[in-house]
Amino acid sequence: MSVKEKGVNVQVLLRCRPFSDDELRNNAPQVVSCNEYQREVSVSQNIAGKHIDRVFVFDKVFGPNAQQKDLYEQAVVPIVNEVLEGFNCTIFAYGQTGTGKTYTMEGECKRSKGGLNGELPPEAGVIPRAVKQIFDTLESQNAEYSVKVTFLELYNEEITDLLAPEDLSRVAQEDKQKKQLPLMEDGKGGVLVRGLEEEIVTSATTHEGEELIKCGKLNLVDLAGSENISRSGAREGRAREAGEINKSLLTLGRVISALVEHLGHVPYRDSKLTRLLRDSLGGRTKTCIIATVSPAVHCLEETLSTLDYAHRAK
Ligand code: ADP
Ligand code: MG
């Protein structure tokens, strides 16, 4: 039975970034190698007589030479098509800090500021490419449409609206305390964040009547650094932060395992992250996890823990 027939569609990809300039300067030994054809990632290293040699297989593997466009075309285009057909989908970037989550999701515009002729620069990541695909498709279909964007941060289990206009006087008075927004059930199996700004990016009036209306949602998630998960007994001050991040990442892992393994109980309610994404995880949705790792030896421990976490989600 295919994954689709089982009603669960979780795709797990692995991306290994190139060596950084620092790592190259220091001749950092390479411990990760990728075989894109076999969809395999191997980790090998000899430390003090202890030999580590492990191989992981993923749905897709992107090595250090993979371009933003390659990853987008091979992994994200089908998901955005699904959203345009009226389904809810989620794409996560998961990995240690510094391994390329933000590079993968947002990208970089170091040299080229914006693209020429409406083209995106080669370093553009998943988010700008998805926005372009959505508008290109909608415009070519000659259908009426409306697109809404929300942008929020979930930190220490508190939600802040990144699109809300900042009230500078209040920010000063309240010592930069951010306004927290409550999460509520919407009565239709989903949740809503009360008071969250919705920016209408462009719109056309939709006629009342018999027309077929499709409504899809795409969640693009740049997760907290996965090193928090192994550091739950953190130092003072950071203890709560690590604990809450840990809770979200662990719950996300459990929710995905429960969906993949068809367990009766899916613990969506155990963290705000999974409550927020409830209507976009499981059922007729597509989920894609992009796990990111560094090729270098100094990240070995975190790399193994990322590979284990991501592999469990398969
Ligand atoms: P994270 O968000 O996981 O903490 P970043 O996305 O900020 O990591 O990446 C760390 C650094 O590595 C950045 O300077 C970024 O440009 C670079 N980088 C990450 N992935 C790649 C990649 N695939 N190709 C080129 N540079 C990358
Ligand atoms: Mg980042």
Side-chain angles (χ1 to χ4, degrees), residues 15-18 20 64 66 68 95-104 108 110 222 292:
R15 184 180 206 183
C16 180
R17 69 157 165 78
S20 65
Q68 300 280 60
Q96 181 186 8
T97 298
T99 53
K101 295 181 298 298
T102 303
Y103 181 85
T104 297
E108 234 164 37
K110 264 190 213 146
D222 187 348
T292 57

Side-chain angles (χ1 to χ4, degrees), residues 49-311:
K50 204 178 128 215
H51 188 59
I52 295 175
D53 205 354
R54 294 185 63 192
V55 179
F56 299 79
V57 180
F58 290 94
D59 294 312
K60 288 195 174 70
V61 168
F62 296 90
N65 295 324
Q67 300 300 299
Q68 300 280 60
K69 185 169 181 276
D70 302 330
L71 183 138
Y72 190 81
E73 285 177 356
Q74 291 176 45
V76 187
V77 166
I79 294 177
V80 172
N81 283 336
E82 200 84 354
V83 173
L84 290 162
E85 284 302 312
F87 298 102
N88 295 352
C89 300
T90 306
I91 300 174
F92 294 103
Y94 178 91
Q96 181 186 8
T97 298
T99 53
K101 295 181 298 298
T102 303
Y103 181 85
T104 297
M105 296 308 282
E106 295 180 10
E108 234 164 37
C109 301
K110 264 190 213 146
R111 281 142 290 169
S112 39
K113 275 246 181 303
L116 293 170
N117 308 323
E119 289 301 311
L120 292 168
E123 298 86 4
V126 168
I127 296 173
R129 286 174 197 273
V131 169
K132 184 168 185 337
Q133 185 187 343
I134 289 168
F135 282 107
D136 284 355
T137 311
L138 291 173
E139 275 159 26
S140 71
Q141 283 175 345
N142 202 20
E144 299 192 23
Y145 62 85
S146 152
V147 178
K148 283 189 275 187
V149 169
T150 60
F151 188 32
L152 62 85
E153 179 180 67
L154 174 63
Y155 183 68
N156 280 348
E157 293 288 285
E158 283 161 10
I159 295 170
T160 27
D161 190 346
L162 299 176
L163 288 184
E166 265 190 70
D167 178 344
L168 293 173
S169 57
R170 250 196 44 219
V171 169
Q173 276 168 22
E174 293 175 10
D175 197 22
K176 296 209 161 107
Q177 200 170 38
K178 294 185 217 152
K179 195 171 125 208
Q180 293 165 29
L181 303 175
L183 195 58
M184 343 242 307
E185 309 295 322
D186 69 358
K188 292 179 275 182
V191 291
L192 55 87
V193 181
R194 201 175 64 197
L196 189 64
E197 293 281 328
E198 282 189 339
E199 196 73 35
I200 301 202
V201 186
T202 189
S203 85
T205 37
T206 307
H207 297 299
E208 304 278 324
E210 310 266 308
E211 288 158 78
L212 180 64
I213 298 177
K214 294 174 187 164
C215 182
K217 178 155 81 173
L218 178 61
N219 302 285
L220 300 166
V221 187
D222 187 348
L223 287 167
S226 57
E227 64 276 13
N228 290 284
I229 216 167
S230 40
R231 222 182 272 161
S232 43
R235 288 147 284 165
E236 56 164 305
R238 305 215 0 134
R240 167 149 186 265
E241 185 182 316
E244 298 288 10
I245 294 169
N246 202 25
K247 182 161 105 183
S248 277
L249 293 179
L250 283 172
T251 304
L252 176 65
R254 289 190 191 116
V255 162
I256 290 171
S257 303
L259 290 170
V260 172
E261 286 160 30
H262 286 265
L263 303 182
H265 175 67
V266 182
Y268 292 109
R269 293 199 56 85
D270 292 358
S271 77
K272 270 201 185 149
L273 176 67
T274 47
R275 283 180 68 200
L276 257 175
L277 296 172
R278 183 178 185 142
D279 66 358
S280 306
L281 289 172
R284 179 77 169 83
T285 68
K286 276 194 171 151
T287 301
C288 174
I289 298 170
I290 306 172
T292 57
V293 296
S294 147
V297 70
H298 62 94
C299 300
L300 178 63
E301 204 181 320
E302 292 299 340
T303 296
L304 286 170
S305 112
T306 296
L307 290 168
D308 278 327
Y309 180 101
H311 205 255

